[in-house]
């Protein structure tokens, strides 16, 4: 141990501040939230030092988990909300990847003004999310939004995009795709530029068509980058709060797990910290299960990371 510390003490000294900060900002709140899930804590029974009021909440064991997983509407209809969250997540990541890959392949080819196109396509990613959300909220406005104006000008019906219907979910998915495509495009473009040109030349000499070169050269060469960005995309989209809440607010038709946890924690007659924390732990559990299954699937394919 002494030889080990003599050799690596500097590395551990550099890492120690980061570990302390992460412990204070992440692990302690996570542990407190996990504890809250086993109580009935809310705004009315939590300790308030300003009012000289002690805490009066009780430990209820697994009651919060049982109530949430029962799927009752009073506790957010967990399973219906989970299905909506999965639709939101996987549809967003699918279009992120497909559109991002298409744009990356276009920008990887020689063309005039290629640098300008790259800058323009990265702009949605550079603009702060709340500004983009408010801009799209204006575009989707049923009365004076530009989208309905364009539809009306060509004789098409003008729906209420952000109303109490499933169209609202389509609207926020469109916004999420618009925001997420630039990151996917940049990551995949970097992967495309790392593919040796000799592979394409050899495939072309062997008589491979453009589609065959894409399937047998591009896709395998991008597998490592694709696996990483898809995993990150799923985690980020699953927890994407700002787009939905800033565009539609607490709309039941666009409610996903993370927005409902926010609603229970910050709104209502009595803020229910216990149920909100239970949703937070369940969100973390779903993502951990997905990441574990995803990693094992990649290991079976020979990917090691």
């Amino acid at each position: 141990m002494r030889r080990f510390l003599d050799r690596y003490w500097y590395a551990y000294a550099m890492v120690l501040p980061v570990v302390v900060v992460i412990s204070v900002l992440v692990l302690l709140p996570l542990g407190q939230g996990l504890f809250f899930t086993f109580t009935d804590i809310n705004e009315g029974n939590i300790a308030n030092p300003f009012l000289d009021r002690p805490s009066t909440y009780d430990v209820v064991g697994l009651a919060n988990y049982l109530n949430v997983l029962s799927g009752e509407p009073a506790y957010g209809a967990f399973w219906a909300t989970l299905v909506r969250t999965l639709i939101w997540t996987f549809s967003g990541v699918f279009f992120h990847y497909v559109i991002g890959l298409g744009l990356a392949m276009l920008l990887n080819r020689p063309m005039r003004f290629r640098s300008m196109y790259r800058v323009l396509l990265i702009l949605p990613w550079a603009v702060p999310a709340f500004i983009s959300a408010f801009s799209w909220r204006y575009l989707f406005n049923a009365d004076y939004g530009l989208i309905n104006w364009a539809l009306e000008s060509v004789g098409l019906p003008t729906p209420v995009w952000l109303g109490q219907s499933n169209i609202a979910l389509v609207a926020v998915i469109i916004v999420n795709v618009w925001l997420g495509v630039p990151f996917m495009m940049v990551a995949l473009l970097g992967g495309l530029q790392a593919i040796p040109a000799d592979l394409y030349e050899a495939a072309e000499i062997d008589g491979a068509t453009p589609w065959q070169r894409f399937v047998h050269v591009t896709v395998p060469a991008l597998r490592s980058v694709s696996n990483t960005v898809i995993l990150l995309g799923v985690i980020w989209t699953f927890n994407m709060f700002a787009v939905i809440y800033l565009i539609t607010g607490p709309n039941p038709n666009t409610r996903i797990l993370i927005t409902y946890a926010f609603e229970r924690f910050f709104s209502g007659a009595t803020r229910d910290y216990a149920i909100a924390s239970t949703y937070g732990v369940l969100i973390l559990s779903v993502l951990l299960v997905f990441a574990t299954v995803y990693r094992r699937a990649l290991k079976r394919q020979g990917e090691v990371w």
Side-chain angles (χ1 to χ4, degrees):
M1 178 62 70
R2 178 177 296 178
R3 288 196 302 269
F4 179 81
L5 291 177
D6 288 341
R7 184 175 181 180
Y8 298 109
W9 70 269
Y10 183 77
Y12 280 94
M14 294 296 100
V15 172
L16 182 61
V18 178
V19 174
V20 172
V21 171
I22 291 178
S23 299
V24 172
L25 297 181
V26 177
L27 297 182
L28 287 180
L30 180 62
Q32 185 182 46
L34 182 62
F35 171 72
F36 283 172
T37 65
F38 301 108
T39 68
D40 62 351
I41 190 169
N42 55 47
E43 189 179 22
N45 58 27
I46 193 173
N48 191 328
F50 297 101
L51 300 178
D52 195 22
R53 185 183 67 191
S55 60
T56 57
Y57 60 84
D58 298 318
V59 176
V60 297
L62 298 175
N64 291 324
Y65 291 98
L66 295 176
N67 290 332
V68 170
L69 295 177
S70 66
E72 295 181 9
Y75 296 97
F78 174 80
W79 298 108
T81 307
L82 176 61
V83 170
R84 190 181 301 110
T85 305
L86 295 177
I87 294 172
W88 152 264
T89 301
F90 290 108
S91 61
V93 174
F94 173 79
F95 287 112
H96 286 166
Y97 185 82
V98 172
I99 299 175
L101 178 59
L103 292 175
M105 294 185 65
L106 287 175
L107 293 178
N108 194 44
R109 302 176 60 183
M111 65 174 68
R112 296 182 62 187
F113 308 115
R114 184 170 61 174
S115 298
M116 183 185 68
Y117 294 145
R118 289 180 178 180
V119 172
L120 292 176
L121 290 171
I122 291 174
L123 277 180
W125 191 29
V127 175
F130 72 93
I131 295 179
S132 299
F134 289 141
S135 300
W136 277 98
R137 185 171 181 174
Y138 170 76
L139 292 174
F140 279 123
N141 187 278
D143 297 324
Y144 50 84
L146 294 180
I147 294 178
N148 275 3
W149 174 82
L151 293 175
E152 186 178 7
S153 63
V154 296
L156 295 176
T158 56
V160 180
W161 291 97
L162 306 181
Q164 301 293 322
S165 68
N166 291 327
I167 298 179
L169 182 61
V170 175
V172 292
I173 288 176
I174 292 173
V175 178
N176 182 48
V177 171
W178 185 80
L179 288 172
V181 163
F183 165 76
M184 200 72 70
M185 179 195 69
V186 170
L188 294 174
L189 181 58
L192 287 172
Q193 292 179 342
I195 301 175
D198 298 344
L199 296 178
Y200 290 105
E201 293 175 0
E204 190 173 0
I205 291 173
D206 291 339
T209 63
W211 174 252
Q212 290 173 331
R213 293 197 295 271
F214 171 76
V215 172
H216 298 291
V217 177
T218 304
V219 173
L222 285 178
R223 183 174 299 164
S224 180
V225 176
S226 299
N227 292 336
T228 302
V229 295
I230 288 175
L231 177 61
L232 292 175
V234 169
I235 295 174
W236 290 341
T237 307
F238 199 92
N239 286 321
M240 178 64 70
F241 168 81
V243 171
I244 291 180
Y245 210 81
L246 292 177
I247 292 179
T248 64
N251 187 335
N253 295 282
T254 59
R255 177 182 292 155
I256 61 175
L257 296 179
I258 191 69
T259 59
Y260 185 73
F262 177 86
E263 291 175 30
R264 291 301 291 251
F265 201 97
F266 289 103
S267 62
T270 302
R271 299 177 180 180
D272 197 337
Y273 304 140
I275 297 299
S277 299
T278 303
Y279 265 84
V281 172
L282 290 174
I283 291 170
L284 176 62
S285 302
V286 170
L287 290 176
L288 286 177
V289 170
F290 169 79
T292 302
V293 173
Y294 187 78
R295 183 172 178 273
R296 289 182 178 178
L298 294 182
K299 288 182 69 175
R300 283 201 269 321
Q301 297 176 5
E303 294 285 338
V304 179
W305 56 281

